[in-house]
């Protein structure tokens, strides 16, 4: 899954990487090394510019709220639960299928965090001696240092309690597409710990390689089977994972120190 990630790149850098044609400097976000659900995040999407009369889609860098609210929802209260969309069922789930057909985006990240329960902690939990075992966080990121382009969906939701001209009348929200975690060896594995992403967690965000960005973002590409073909995971061995401080477990902590690689896990033996 993807419940927390880091996104520290400047919008100018993202605009260059993704060949963005339009972005509003007023929407600039501060670097965030501990992105949590319901926060504002950068996404890359393609759609016509508002109030121009030109129907041609334009590639844009926008800020959206992480946690998708379906257009038919009565309220946005469930947004924090809609942070992930499973690739295997995305085309048939009522919450995601319309967005999957026409409102796809890329969510840029440095990488994502995932937590592993230590062996000793797990044994205490089994014995009933510990109800909430400590978990060791790992940071997963492209081995070559490139942007982690996560496949995403976005949706519009109208707050009917507000007038049309209210700035919060429309919500634009997004969700990260997830897939089965890679079982093959990591591109760069830690000296002590997991040898594959599946050792850390059974699921992971779907990473889109640059050769798929245009097809994924194209709103005119609406044949479901055609789009489903883009959900094939990239080649293995592109990622690295390493242990980081348990400080990241607290959403109030934020800073580049959260990405510092530890020499070994803080939470006992893991594997």
């Amino acid at each position: 899954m993807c419940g927390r990630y880091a996104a520290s790149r400047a919008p100018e850098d993202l605009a260059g990487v993704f060949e963005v044609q339009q972005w509003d400097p007023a929407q600039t976000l501060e670097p965030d090394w501990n992105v949590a659900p319901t926060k504002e995040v950068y996404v890359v999407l393609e759609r016509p510019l508002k109030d121009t009369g030109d129907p041609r889609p334009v590639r844009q860098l926008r800020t959206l709220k992480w946690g998708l609210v379906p257009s038919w929802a009565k309220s946005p209260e469930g947004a924090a639960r809609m942070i992930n969309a499973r690739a295997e069922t995305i085309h048939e789930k009522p919450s995601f299928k319309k967005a999957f057909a026409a409102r796809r985006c890329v969510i840029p990240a440095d990488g994502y965090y995932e937590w592993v329960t230590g062996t000793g902690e797990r044994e205490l939990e089994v014995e009933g001696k510990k109800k909430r075992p400590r978990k060791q966080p790992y940071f997963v990121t492209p081995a070559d240092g490139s942007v982690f382009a996560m496949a995403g969906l976005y949706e519009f939701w109208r707050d009917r309690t507000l007038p049309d001209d209210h700035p919060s009348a429309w919500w634009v929200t997004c969700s990260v597409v997830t897939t089965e975690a890679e079982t093959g060896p990591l591109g760069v594995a830690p000296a002590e710990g997991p040898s594959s992403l599946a050792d850390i967690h059974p699921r992971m965000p779907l990473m889109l390689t640059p050769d798929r960005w245009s097809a994924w973002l194209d709103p005119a590409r609406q044949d479901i089977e055609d789009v489903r073909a883009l959900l094939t995971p990239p080649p293995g061995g592109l990622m690295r994972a390493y242990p980081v401080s348990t400080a990241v477990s607290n959403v109030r902590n934020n800073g580049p120190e959260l990405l510092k690689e530890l020499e070994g896990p803080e939470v006992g033996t893991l594997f």
Side-chain angles (χ1 to χ4, degrees), residues 196-267:
S196 73
L197 293 179
D199 287 342
I200 301 174
H201 194 277
R203 298 195 67 79
M204 64 177 289
L206 175 63
M207 183 175 78
L208 296 172
T209 48
D211 58 304
R212 294 189 183 184
W213 293 350
S214 292
W216 179 258
L217 293 172
D218 184 2
R221 187 183 290 258
Q222 297 191 12
D223 180 83
I224 295 303
E225 293 307 312
D226 185 28
V227 179
R228 287 186 70 193
L230 300 174
L231 296 172
T232 303
L238 299 180
M239 309 299 289
R240 68 178 297 234
Y242 59 85
V244 293
S245 169
T246 53
V248 74
S249 301
N250 188 330
V251 295
R252 292 189 292 271
N253 294 328
N254 207 318
E257 67 277 4
L258 296 180
L259 299 189
K260 182 180 179 181
E261 182 173 359
L262 302 181
E263 293 184 1
E266 288 182 327
V267 186

Side-chain angles (χ1 to χ4, degrees), residues 63-101:
T63 57
L64 276 58
K65 188 181 293 290
W66 183 23
L68 189 140
V69 180
S71 59
W72 43 261
K74 294 182 179 179
S75 77
E77 292 178 359
R81 297 192 299 271
M82 295 283 190
I83 59 172
N84 293 161
R86 295 175 67 94
E88 297 85 348
T89 57
I90 198 173
H91 63 291
E92 58 188 15
K93 292 292 185 181
S95 297
F96 302 120
K97 63 181 183 180
K98 288 186 177 180
F100 178 62

